[in-house]
Amino acid sequence: KNQVEQSPQSLIILEGKNCTLQCNYTVSPFSNLRWYKQDTGRGPVSLTIMTFSENTKSNGRYTATLDADTKQSSLHITASQLSDSASYICVVSAPPRVLTFGGGTRLMVKP
Amino acid sequence: DGGITQSPKYLFRKEGQNVTLSCEQNLNHDAMYWYRQDPGQGLRLIYYSQIVNDFQKGDIAEGYSVSREKKESFPLTVTSAQKNPTAFYLCATDRGSSGNTIYFGEGSWLTVV
């Protein structure tokens, strides 16, 4: 069964600090991996999308990494801001276009 | 502005009622999706449509129905057969090819009263 597990479930950090969110998946075959940011009560917004051949991709202060051999991905947030408080969702796609969503990590950035 | 519009944002349903959630897009995307989100859980696919007048069941289609009469519109009806409908519902679209970015609407909260 295709599964996407995210850790930690929740995280509290101080403004200005860095953090790393983890995503482990068992989806096979693999097409691509996406990270989304979801503010409370809003729709998810795309941060990055990576294919099998990509190891890292950045979007501003967000950097995603992918190790397709170990089926792990991480999302690193640099110099966190209060506006980074949200849920971060890892989504893995299998051909033809089957998406499996992780349960998300809830990040709270405190001043 | 281009985008996806869901309405209403908040909806209350009485026992035994059917309710319909609207999803409209002006992105000219072929594929449209409906997801259900429960607290602490990943999004689950209800229905999807890759082309007008065609749609497929997702993982949790029981108690829901959809139509795709126009490319721009993909309404979701939550029927009285859905025994636990209280959730956050998200509509999404993409161009219909693997690797495309999926765009989500702002979501609709449905509560049973």
Side-chain angles (χ1 to χ4, degrees):
Chain A
K1 181 182 177 182
N2 290 339
Q3 285 189 311
V4 176
E5 299 288 339
Q6 292 187 243
S7 61
Q9 282 192 330
S10 60
L11 182 63
I12 301 174
I13 62 174
L14 292 177
E15 186 179 11
K17 298 297 185 182
N18 303 336
C19 68
T20 300
L21 314 180
Q22 299 291 340
C23 173
N24 296 338
Y25 62 93
T26 59
V27 176
S28 183
F30 172 88
S31 180
N32 56 66
L33 185 146
R34 311 159 189 248
W35 282 94
Y36 280 84
K37 177 186 179 186
Q38 184 178 23
D39 293 316
T40 301
R42 308 286 297 274
V45 175
S46 179
L47 294 175
T48 63
I49 178 170
M50 290 183 291
T51 60
F52 184 88
S53 60
E54 296 177 292
N55 299 119
T56 185
K57 182 163 281 189
S58 293
N59 178 358
R61 294 179 296 102
Y62 300 102
T63 299
T65 64
L66 173 64
D67 185 334
D69 291 331
T70 62
K71 297 186 177 179
Q72 296 180 325
S73 176
S74 65
L75 181 69
H76 186 74
I77 304 175
T78 304
S80 61
Q81 301 176 357
L82 298 179
S83 60
D84 291 332
S85 295
S87 289
Y88 292 84
I89 301 171
C90 176
V91 187
V92 181
S93 177
R97 285 162 63 236
V98 177
L99 299 179
T100 303
F101 289 78
T105 293
R106 297 191 76 174
L107 174 65
M108 182 178 295
V109 180
K110 290 192 169 184
Chain B
D1 284 346
I4 306 167
T5 302
Q6 286 187 238
S7 63
K9 181 68 176 178
Y10 300 97
L11 186 61
F12 297 90
R13 192 194 93 168
K14 293 182 179 180
E15 295 284 347
Q17 268 187 342
N18 293 351
V19 294
T20 297
L21 307 180
S22 169
C23 179
E24 304 280 332
Q25 56 107 353
N26 60 4
L27 300 168
N28 199 34
H29 285 173
D30 289 313
M32 297 188 74
Y33 310 82
W34 274 106
Y35 290 94
R36 170 178 171 143
Q37 187 174 35
D38 294 286
Q41 295 189 36
L43 275 67
R44 292 181 291 169
L45 182 64
I46 304 172
Y47 268 100
Y48 66 99
S49 168
Q50 299 195 42
I51 195 169
V52 175
N53 292 323
D54 184 59
F55 50 82
Q56 306 295 328
K57 291 182 178 180
D59 300 320
I60 55 167
E62 185 175 351
Y64 301 96
S65 65
V66 294
S67 63
R68 187 88 186 274
E69 297 176 1
K70 299 186 299 181
K71 188 176 186 178
E72 303 79 18
S73 179
F74 192 41
L76 173 74
T77 296
V78 185
T79 74
S80 57
Q82 172 49 243
K83 297 306 178 187
N84 185 24
T86 296
F88 188 53
Y89 291 87
L90 285 161
C91 178
T93 75
D94 69 22
R95 287 196 177 89
S97 298
S98 179
N100 287 151
T101 298
I102 298 173
Y103 297 89
F104 287 87
E106 287 297 285
S108 295
W109 291 95
L110 173 62
T111 303
V112 174
V113 296

